[in-house]
Coordinates of all heavy atoms in Angstrom, one line a residue:
T3 N 6.9 -4.5 -14.3 CA 6.3 -5.0 -15.5 C 6.2 -6.5 -15.6 O 5.3 -7.0 -16.3 CB 7.1 -4.5 -16.8 OG1 8.4 -5.1 -16.8 CG2 7.3 -3.0 -16.8
E4 N 7.0 -7.2 -14.8 CA 6.9 -8.6 -14.7 C 5.9 -9.1 -13.6 O 5.8 -10.3 -13.4 CB 8.3 -9.2 -14.4 CG 9.3 -9.0 -15.5 CD 10.7 -9.4 -15.2 OE1 10.8 -10.2 -14.1 OE2 11.7 -9.1 -15.8
G5 N 5.2 -8.1 -13.0 CA 4.2 -8.5 -12.0 C 4.6 -8.5 -10.6 O 3.9 -9.0 -9.7
Y6 N 5.8 -8.1 -10.3 CA 6.3 -8.1 -8.9 C 5.8 -6.9 -8.1 O 5.7 -5.8 -8.7 CB 7.8 -8.1 -8.9 CG 8.4 -9.5 -9.1 CD1 8.7 -9.9 -10.4 CD2 8.7 -10.3 -8.0 CE1 9.2 -11.2 -10.6 CE2 9.3 -11.6 -8.2 CZ 9.5 -12.0 -9.5 OH 10.0 -13.2 -9.7
T7 N 5.5 -7.1 -6.9 CA 5.2 -6.0 -5.9 C 6.5 -5.6 -5.3 O 7.2 -6.4 -4.7 CB 4.2 -6.5 -4.9 OG1 2.9 -6.8 -5.5 CG2 3.9 -5.4 -3.9
I8 N 6.8 -4.3 -5.4 CA 8.1 -3.8 -4.8 C 7.8 -3.4 -3.4 O 7.1 -2.4 -3.1 CB 8.6 -2.6 -5.7 CG1 8.5 -2.9 -7.2 CG2 10.0 -2.2 -5.2 CD1 9.3 -4.2 -7.6
I9 N 8.5 -4.1 -2.5 CA 8.2 -3.9 -1.0 C 9.5 -3.3 -0.4 O 10.6 -3.9 -0.5 CB 7.9 -5.2 -0.3 CG1 6.6 -5.8 -1.0 CG2 7.7 -5.0 1.2 CD1 6.4 -7.3 -0.7
G10 N 9.4 -2.2 0.2 CA 10.5 -1.6 0.9 C 10.5 -1.9 2.4 O 9.4 -1.8 3.0
V11 N 11.6 -2.2 3.0 CA 11.7 -2.4 4.4 C 12.1 -1.1 5.0 O 13.2 -0.7 5.1 CB 12.7 -3.5 4.8 CG1 12.7 -3.8 6.3 CG2 12.5 -4.8 4.0
E12 N 11.1 -0.3 5.5 CA 11.3 1.1 5.9 C 10.2 1.6 6.8 O 9.0 1.2 6.6 CB 11.5 2.0 4.7 CG 12.0 3.4 4.9 CD 13.4 3.3 5.5 OE1 14.4 3.3 4.8 OE2 13.5 3.3 6.8
Q13 N 10.5 2.4 7.7 CA 9.5 3.1 8.6 C 9.1 4.4 7.9 O 9.9 5.3 7.8 CB 10.1 3.3 10.0 CG 10.5 2.1 10.7 CD 11.2 2.4 12.0 OE1 11.6 3.5 12.3 NE2 11.3 1.4 12.9
T14 N 7.9 4.4 7.4 CA 7.4 5.7 6.8 C 6.0 6.0 7.4 O 5.4 5.1 8.2 CB 7.2 5.5 5.3 OG1 6.2 4.6 5.0 CG2 8.5 5.1 4.6
A15 N 5.4 7.1 7.1 CA 4.1 7.5 7.6 C 3.0 6.5 7.1 O 2.0 6.4 7.8 CB 3.8 8.9 7.1
K16 N 3.2 5.9 6.0 CA 2.2 5.0 5.5 C 2.6 3.5 5.4 O 2.0 2.7 4.8 CB 1.8 5.4 4.0 CG 1.3 6.8 3.9 CD 0.9 7.2 2.5 CE 0.3 8.6 2.4 NZ -0.1 8.9 1.0
S17 N 3.7 3.2 6.2 CA 4.1 1.8 6.1 C 3.2 0.9 6.9 O 2.5 1.3 7.8 CB 5.5 1.7 6.8 OG 5.5 2.2 8.1
F18 N 3.1 -0.4 6.4 CA 2.3 -1.4 7.0 C 3.1 -2.2 8.1 O 4.3 -2.4 8.0 CB 1.9 -2.5 5.9 CG 0.8 -2.0 5.0 CD1 1.1 -1.2 3.9 CD2 -0.5 -2.4 5.2 CE1 0.1 -0.8 3.1 CE2 -1.6 -2.0 4.4 CZ -1.3 -1.2 3.3
D19 N 2.4 -2.6 9.1 CA 2.9 -3.4 10.2 C 3.1 -4.8 9.6 O 2.3 -5.4 8.9 CB 1.9 -3.4 11.3 CG 2.6 -4.1 12.6 OD1 3.1 -5.2 12.4 OD2 2.5 -3.5 13.7
L20 N 4.3 -5.4 9.8 CA 4.7 -6.7 9.3 C 3.6 -7.7 9.7 O 3.3 -8.6 8.9 CB 6.1 -7.1 9.7 CG 6.5 -8.5 9.3 CD1 6.5 -8.7 7.8 CD2 7.9 -8.8 9.9
T21 N 3.1 -7.6 10.9 CA 2.2 -8.6 11.4 C 0.8 -8.6 10.7 O 0.0 -9.5 10.8 CB 1.9 -8.4 12.9 OG1 1.4 -7.1 13.2 CG2 3.3 -8.6 13.7
E22 N 0.6 -7.5 10.0 CA -0.7 -7.3 9.3 C -0.6 -7.4 7.8 O -1.6 -7.3 7.0 CB -1.3 -6.0 9.7 CG -1.6 -5.9 11.2 CD -2.0 -4.5 11.6 OE1 -2.0 -3.6 10.8 OE2 -2.4 -4.3 12.8
Y23 N 0.7 -7.5 7.3 CA 0.9 -7.4 5.8 C 0.8 -8.8 5.2 O 1.4 -9.8 5.7 CB 2.2 -6.8 5.5 CG 2.4 -6.6 4.0 CD1 1.6 -5.7 3.3 CD2 3.3 -7.4 3.3 CE1 1.8 -5.6 1.9 CE2 3.5 -7.2 2.0 CZ 2.7 -6.3 1.2 OH 2.9 -6.2 -0.1
C24 N 0.1 -8.9 4.1 CA 0.0 -10.2 3.3 C 0.9 -10.1 2.1 O 0.6 -9.3 1.2 CB -1.5 -10.5 3.0 SG -1.7 -12.1 2.1
F25 N 1.9 -10.9 2.0 CA 2.8 -10.8 0.9 C 2.2 -11.4 -0.4 O 1.7 -12.6 -0.3 CB 4.1 -11.6 1.2 CG 5.0 -10.9 2.2 CD1 4.9 -11.1 3.5 CD2 6.0 -10.1 1.7 CE1 5.7 -10.4 4.4 CE2 6.9 -9.4 2.6 CZ 6.8 -9.6 3.9
P26 N 2.3 -10.7 -1.5 CA 1.9 -11.3 -2.8 C 2.9 -12.4 -3.1 O 4.1 -12.4 -2.6 CB 2.0 -10.2 -3.8 CG 2.1 -8.9 -2.9 CD 2.7 -9.3 -1.6
E27 N 2.5 -13.4 -3.9 CA 3.4 -14.4 -4.3 C 4.7 -13.9 -5.0 O 5.8 -14.3 -4.7 CB 2.7 -15.4 -5.3 CG 3.6 -16.6 -5.7 CD 2.9 -17.5 -6.6 OE1 1.8 -17.3 -7.0 OE2 3.5 -18.5 -7.0

């Protein structure tokens, strides 16, 4: 609700590769 993107460090079927992920502020 405060505008944070909740990012899990986990290997899942839909997880993003760290080298391709752009972190929100």
Side-chain angles (χ1 to χ4, degrees):
T3 65
E4 295 174 14
Y6 279 87
T7 297
I8 313 301
I9 304 163
V11 186
E12 192 62 88
Q13 296 173 349
T14 67
K16 297 182 179 179
S17 57
F18 283 81
D19 188 309
L20 176 60
T21 61
E22 300 172 353
Y23 184 69
C24 183
F25 285 88
E27 182 180 1

